[in-house]
Amino acid sequence: MSSNRTRLAVLAAAALALATPLAIANADAATTPTTATAAAAAAPAATTYTAAQVLAAIQQHSTAATQVNTKPHINTMTRAQNVNVYQPATGVFVYTSSMAIDDDGSDPDPDPDHQGETTFQDSSGAQLAAHHVPFYVLGDDCWDNKTPCPHFFYKEHGISGRQFALVFYNGKAIGAIFGDTQTGNSQTTSDNDSRELGEASVKAASLLGIPSSGTTGGVDNGVTVAIFSGPSWVVNGTNANLSNNAQAMVQNALNTLGTNLAGGTPPSSPPPSSPPPGSTLFEAETGTLSAGGTFDSNHLGFTGTAFANPANAVGAYVDIPVTAAAAGTKTLGFRYSDGTTAARPATISVNGTSHGTLNFPITADWDTWSTASVSVPLKAGANTIRVTGTTADGPANIDSVTVSQ
Ligand code: GCU
């Protein structure tokens, strides 16, 4: 906790009863309870959730009803006193704030505030290595000195050293562990306060693409930390493998939290009431399909009268007629669904000319629709857009395409 840079934060917290996804061989070190050993191996959640889906669900559940703190925390970078902690699901505590850079521990660092010790250690008792282990920082005491603490105080919520968290930033989610604490100490170059939230290690920053220098790095806002409490979510390992161990837990954590926040039902995006401003929507069912494809209506959320279900084969396609008011480069936005576990890349052709491959990443299920976009040249008037699957699964289900005008 070497930084006094300011930061701004928004937080959301959720708690879950979760089973550990990772059985860890090493005995726990002195700093954490030993109850974390191979707890019930987690049955992977049935549905695969993306970081974006889980973050959106967290935000929906971060309301006054789920707020944990009654007094605001301080954004470590901006020092704005506007960070709250939410518990959107049992056992998960979430906040959104800055990321200031903590370079403490056994890795050398030129920061004048560098300290050789972290609050918690790896499973062999070594100080954590800020350049190798993605860890986050919480206040080390209840600033108000009251019980229950008006602020979020980790010791009241089943959170121990090396507690797993998902850290979201800029579309990504990484796994991190609770590694260090923020205290009102006497560092000459810092203005520390245990109410601060929004600091993490050099490694956490670098995994998320955030400038990671302990003296000049960090971001002021937009980093969401979702802490999974309880002994089964304590991560064991050494400085050499703690990062890998934490990353190995990410998808299961996303699936578990996503399933929990959706009440067992994956989110379904509502049909758009109208195309984006400045664009025109063309329904896939006005087009034609290669052999084996069908226009279906057996999944929820499509617009118009049907969606295209192209055949499951390399080269299977759907042709969609569109018009452009004038010739030029236009953005095509395909509304699609892929309820499997594998993306469905497809070649996009215009009037018989290929313009490369567009990826169609998975969606939560066949009732959930997402958009994949690509820019292509169109001529004035009528054009035919062909979406051709490049894998044996064929293209995704295609509901419509919008054309920017
Ligand atoms: C399922 C789903 C279809 C989809 C198909 C596929 O059968 O119901 O809508 O097109 O899988 O894998 O392409």
Side-chain angles (χ1 to χ4, degrees), residues 296 298-299 307 309-310 312 340 344 366 393 395 397:
D296 294 345
N298 60 331
H299 296 304
F307 58 87
N309 170 5
N312 299 117
T340 71
R344 294 203 173 177
W366 291 110
D393 290 329
N397 287 350

Side-chain angles (χ1 to χ4, degrees), residues 284-365:
E285 62 267 34
T286 62
T288 52
L289 291 153
S290 60
T294 50
F295 291 108
D296 294 345
S297 57
N298 60 331
H299 296 304
L300 301 176
F302 62 87
T303 62
T305 57
F307 58 87
N309 170 5
N312 299 117
V314 175
Y317 63 81
V318 55
D319 278 338
I320 309 174
V322 305
T323 56
T329 300
K330 315 288 181 185
T331 300
L332 306 180
F334 294 96
R335 189 166 191 263
Y336 77 94
S337 174
D338 175 8
T340 71
T341 55
R344 294 203 173 177
T347 303
I348 308 301
S349 304
V350 178
N351 307 322
T353 302
S354 172
H355 294 283
T357 301
L358 177 62
N359 197 28
F360 290 77
I362 60 168
T363 55
D365 58 21

Side-chain angles (χ1 to χ4, degrees), residues 18-29:
L18 304 167
T20 184
L22 185 63
I24 300 139
N26 290 346
D28 207 355

Side-chain angles (χ1 to χ4, degrees), residues 5-7 74-79 98 100 196-199:
R5 283 173 300 284
T6 48
R7 323 126 204 206
I74 298 168
N75 176 311
T76 309
M77 288 290 275
T78 67
R79 308 207 67 76
S98 58
E196 290 177 24
L197 281 174
E199 181 165 6

